[in-house]
Amino acid sequence: MDTILVTGALGQIGSELTPTLRNRYDKVEVVASDLDPDPGVSPPYEPVDVTDRSQIESVVEEYDVDTVFHLAALLSAAGEQNPGRAFEVNVEGLHNVLEVGREYGLNRIVVPSSIAVYGPATPDNPSERTIRTPTTMYGITKVLAENLGTYYHQQYDLDVRGIRLPGIVSHETRPDGGTTDYAVDAFYEAVDEGEYTYFVREDTRLPMVYMSDAIDALIDLAGADESDLRFQCEYNISALSFTASELSDRIEERIGRFDARYEPDERQSIADSWPSTLDDTAARTDWGWSAEYDLDRVVDEMVQNLQRGAE
Ligand code: NAD
């Protein structure tokens, strides 16, 4: 890797992945990009709308990019509000990146997928090839994205890789537009207000991962030997699995009084369609995945960081 382009770099993952890549690889140039023409972040930054192939091409050409972390996407709840745009960004945007990858002979493209590829027909603890019948536009676009990545690998020998990420818990950039956002919102509201109204039921259990583990997973997968990989874009990773009420209990143990209420909205049916745990044997075997953070450690770090930020 000499030059990395991160698309969607201003989002929840990109805002932490970009500085981590810059710190870890000081000889590699990491170009951040997103829709905002002038976000005031550390350079190099270039505005790139991934639905416009020429914008991707000009940055790849200008910086001689060889690796892409393609994070630009509309997430599950945002995708249900605007399914057409979700298709454009998540499928056509990826198709543009893959076409540019083919045209310019890029070395590697990393594309996060999501547990949203699964659906109500999926049994709990699915492995990579367990049935995927998503009910959301987001999930449908992610199945297409996984299959597109695999196709470009088979047909054009383009090295496309990805992980089905679960919900991500983090304290740098507050998430928006996802179904697992409550697992982050609860911390912010608990620390700021001492209360939070979840948009899911208290018994909702979903798989989650702490941001630093998710970033390590993306970087480790990007660096794995191609010959060790059995899958392209479909690797499950498993780290945490907790209910909304278990999370509330842990937060309350740390901060004292926490008034949690549960008023499920339309995102409940999305949450109900996803598995609560994942079988990640392949990621452990093929590229050495394992999570560092358990729920206690996540709650400690989240509360400490948000309390420090609130001071
Ligand atoms: P995010 O919504 O926080 O960030 C996405 C970024 O993409 C935003 O900054 C947005 O401005 C940008 N974007 C939207 N349309 C664009 C376009 N046309 N061109 C360029 N940029 C555009 O999302 P995130 O949480 O950082 O997710 C990154 C990737 O990880 C996505 O592929 C997502 O599906 C996947 N993922 C995230 C989670 C999670 O919990 N955060 C879970 C599973 C998978």
Side-chain angles (χ1 to χ4, degrees):
M1 283 188 299
D2 289 321
T3 310
I4 299 173
L5 171 64
V6 181
T7 70
L10 301 177
Q12 188 190 8
I13 298 178
S15 60
E16 298 201 41
L17 176 67
T18 308
T20 307
L21 287 168
R22 285 179 179 154
N23 287 338
R24 226 173 264 191
Y25 303 113
D26 55 354
K27 295 200 170 59
V28 175
E29 182 163 44
V30 181
V31 184
S33 72
D34 206 298
L35 291 174
D36 193 329
D38 187 17
V41 295
S42 309
Y45 174 89
E46 296 288 340
V48 173
D49 179 342
V50 296
T51 62
D52 179 347
R53 191 178 302 174
S54 67
Q55 294 186 25
I56 308 168
E57 272 170 349
S58 58
V59 173
V60 165
E61 228 172 80
E62 182 183 340
Y63 289 88
D64 203 10
V65 168
D66 55 47
T67 302
V68 178
F69 283 78
H70 177 53
L71 308 181
L74 253 63
L75 272 61
S76 53
E80 289 312 281
Q81 275 159 18
N82 197 343
R85 185 68 186 157
F87 192 89
E88 278 167 21
V89 177
N90 298 3
V91 179
E92 291 166 18
L94 172 64
H95 186 231
N96 286 335
V97 170
L98 294 173
E99 276 294 297
V100 173
R102 187 160 80 96
E103 192 185 342
Y104 287 85
L106 297 190
N107 289 342
R108 198 149 295 172
I109 298 174
V110 180
V111 191
S113 187
S114 162
I115 57 164
V117 296
Y118 295 118
T122 307
D124 217 15
N125 210 40
S127 59
E128 278 69 16
R129 292 288 159 82
T130 304
I131 186 168
R132 294 168 298 166
T133 51
T135 50
T136 59
M137 178 53 95
Y138 176 62
I140 290 165
T141 65
K142 287 294 182 184
V143 171
L144 277 166
E146 289 182 356
N147 292 346
L148 266 178
T150 304
Y151 180 84
Y152 271 71
H153 180 251
Q154 283 166 355
Q155 294 295 321
Y156 307 120
D157 205 21
L158 191 61
D159 189 338
V160 191
R161 309 171 172 200
I163 297 167
R164 282 180 194 144
L165 291 170
I168 296 179
V169 183
S170 70
H171 54 78
E172 286 293 326
T173 301
R174 201 164 163 173
D176 190 22
T179 300
T180 52
D181 293 358
Y182 66 84
V184 178
D185 292 343
F187 284 102
Y188 276 83
E189 298 300 319
V191 168
D192 288 349
E193 310 290 341
E195 58 179 39
Y196 176 60
T197 303
Y198 287 81
F199 54 77
V200 293
R201 287 187 316 269
E202 60 189 294
D203 64 349
T204 304
R205 179 186 293 281
L206 285 176
M208 305 272 177
V209 62
Y210 194 52
M211 181 62 89
S212 77
D213 278 331
I215 285 179
D216 283 347
L218 288 168
I219 294 177
D220 289 350
L221 176 64
D225 274 347
E226 196 173 4
S227 57
D228 290 336
L229 302 182
R230 280 174 285 171
F231 301 102
Q232 296 308 129
C233 304
E234 302 165 282
Y235 278 103
N236 285 341
I237 59 166
S238 184
L240 311 164
S241 177
F242 51 82
T243 65
S245 67
E246 285 165 1
L247 178 62
S248 299
D249 292 346
R250 299 293 176 96
I251 294 175
E252 187 159 37
E253 279 167 26
R254 301 300 192 291
I255 67 164
R257 217 185 121 262
F258 175 41
D259 184 7
R261 285 183 293 271
Y262 303 88
E263 292 177 13
D265 67 14
E266 68 286 350
R267 287 166 282 190
Q268 182 68 55
S269 63
I270 302 179
D272 288 342
S273 75
W274 293 346
S276 58
T277 59
L278 304 165
D279 179 350
D280 63 357
T281 311
R284 290 175 182 276
T285 313
D286 293 2
W287 47 276
W289 155 253
S290 78
E292 298 274 319
Y293 280 77
D294 62 11
L295 183 56
D296 281 321
R297 198 167 161 207
V298 171
V299 175
D300 281 342
E301 279 212 8
M302 286 295 291
V303 169
Q304 270 167 21
N305 279 290
L306 292 174
Q307 281 176 333
R308 219 174 284 143
E311 277 165 17

